[in-house]
Amino acid sequence: MKPVEIMRGTSPIVLGMPHVGTFLPDDIRDNLNANGQKLADTDWHIERLFADLLPNTTSVQAKFHRYGIDANRDPLGESLYPGQNTTTLVPMSDFDGVDIWQTVPTTDEVAQRLKSFHAPYHTALTSELERVRDLHGVAILFDCHSIRSYVPFLFEGVLPDLNIGTNNGATCAPSIERVVFDIAQNADGYSSVLNGRFKGGWTTRHYGQPATGIHAIQLEIAQSTYLSAESAPWVYDPVKADKLRAHLKTMLNSLADLATTLGDSK
């Protein structure tokens, strides 16, 4: 299986999906313990949730699972949230802090995974962002994520439904942050926060360089908003999802309109 799937479009929006994949080669999967082989910490059905919301939108999906290597972590292993519980480039535990390996990967194995999985994802994402920027004068990376709403190992209490991250405004123009957060705040029945527990992962922080014409914003969605239950078998709930998709569609279309203005000002 190819490590990355690209759907190429001509809109100024690029959807990043680093955590939707469930593929692992046998040699990696066999070294996971029974807990790890559940692959629980997947961004379940995110590709379906975002499908066809904006015409001609590019998406870049990692097909490999984050337990093998996490495409949304610094390849040098630097922590995104120093002093807080988080998972690493190659996670040693799941989101509940429970071990996932029966045989821990070696340094050489991690290096090979960087080459075989992490690097191809980011090569593809870089290429698509630059291609879109060449078309429009600007590109907006919308990094798509989801997580269980209650994960005590990572955060206290119940997570808001819509968690917007821009690394405290550093990764995109203020107008991009404002339009997404305004839509989230006005989404009836949903709670939201800007730069709360999730301020944007390595992908958002790495690519979000507004001075270069590439902006990035992350949306971490509570899985309770579109799954029947936040547990296996992780069933997609079309009724819940369609309600949420209406707001996601508004976000993406509003960003596409805004990108035209930003591109004209370049």
Side-chain angles (χ1 to χ4, degrees):
M1 175 178 287
K2 292 183 178 180
V4 186
E5 180 177 302
I6 302 168
M7 297 182 64
R8 190 167 286 120
T10 57
S11 90
I13 309 301
V14 176
L15 302 178
M17 300 182 183
H19 294 152
V20 297
T22 56
F23 169 74
L24 288 173
D26 289 344
D27 61 329
I28 295 178
R29 184 180 292 271
D30 290 347
N31 283 335
L32 290 166
N33 62 26
N35 180 53
Q37 289 182 7
K38 295 175 184 177
L39 306 181
D41 302 325
T42 304
D43 290 10
W44 299 103
H45 307 296
I46 277 289
E47 68 278 23
R48 180 176 177 183
L49 188 67
F50 279 87
D52 303 320
L53 294 179
L54 178 68
N56 295 312
T57 301
T58 296
S59 67
V60 180
Q61 299 179 22
K63 305 306 289 182
F64 53 93
H65 196 265
R66 66 188 302 161
Y67 286 173
I69 194 160
D70 193 331
N72 197 35
R73 294 293 182 272
D74 186 339
L76 299 178
E78 296 295 325
S79 176
L80 291 170
Y81 299 99
Q84 294 179 307
N85 285 340
T86 187
T87 54
T88 51
L89 178 64
V90 174
M92 292 296 106
S93 68
D94 63 13
F95 287 169
D96 294 316
V98 180
D99 290 345
I100 59 173
W101 297 100
Q102 59 178 344
T103 303
V104 174
T106 66
T107 300
D108 287 346
E109 287 172 332
V110 173
Q112 184 58 49
R113 294 178 198 183
L114 278 168
K115 181 179 178 180
S116 300
F117 298 103
H118 193 283
Y121 176 78
H122 287 286
T123 296
L125 190 55
T126 298
S127 177
E128 293 308 310
L129 286 166
E130 291 177 349
R131 179 184 64 84
V132 166
R133 182 183 59 187
D134 289 345
L135 286 173
H136 299 279
V138 66
I140 299 175
L141 171 62
F142 196 92
D143 213 36
C144 310
H145 296 262
S146 73
I147 191 171
R148 288 176 287 141
S149 59
Y150 182 69
V151 187
F153 181 70
L154 297 182
F155 50 81
E156 294 183 359
V158 177
L159 191 71
D161 298 322
L162 304 171
N163 301 264
I164 298 157
T166 64
N167 198 23
N168 296 321
T171 64
C172 65
S175 55
I176 291 173
E177 179 184 88
R178 184 168 57 251
V179 73
V180 173
F181 189 44
D182 284 352
I183 292 166
Q185 283 190 303
N186 288 301
D188 187 39
Y190 297 93
S191 56
S192 59
V193 67
L194 175 63
N195 292 311
R197 172 61 179 85
F198 296 101
K199 300 180 187 297
W202 183 78
T203 303
T204 301
R205 302 183 197 193
H206 177 69
Y207 291 100
Q209 305 291 334
T212 70
I214 296 179
H215 304 259
I217 188 166
Q218 176 179 298
L219 181 62
E220 184 87 57
I221 301 170
Q223 291 177 344
S224 58
T225 62
Y226 70 95
L227 297 183
S228 296
E230 294 182 324
S231 58
W234 314 102
V235 175
Y236 185 88
D237 185 321
V239 174
K240 283 184 179 180
D242 285 350
K243 180 182 176 185
L244 177 59
R245 276 169 53 83
H247 300 295
L248 300 178
K249 182 175 182 178
T250 301
M251 287 181 185
L252 296 183
N253 280 270
S254 298
L255 286 177
D257 291 342
L258 181 58
T260 300
T261 303
L262 293 172
D264 289 344
S265 67
K266 295 294 288 182

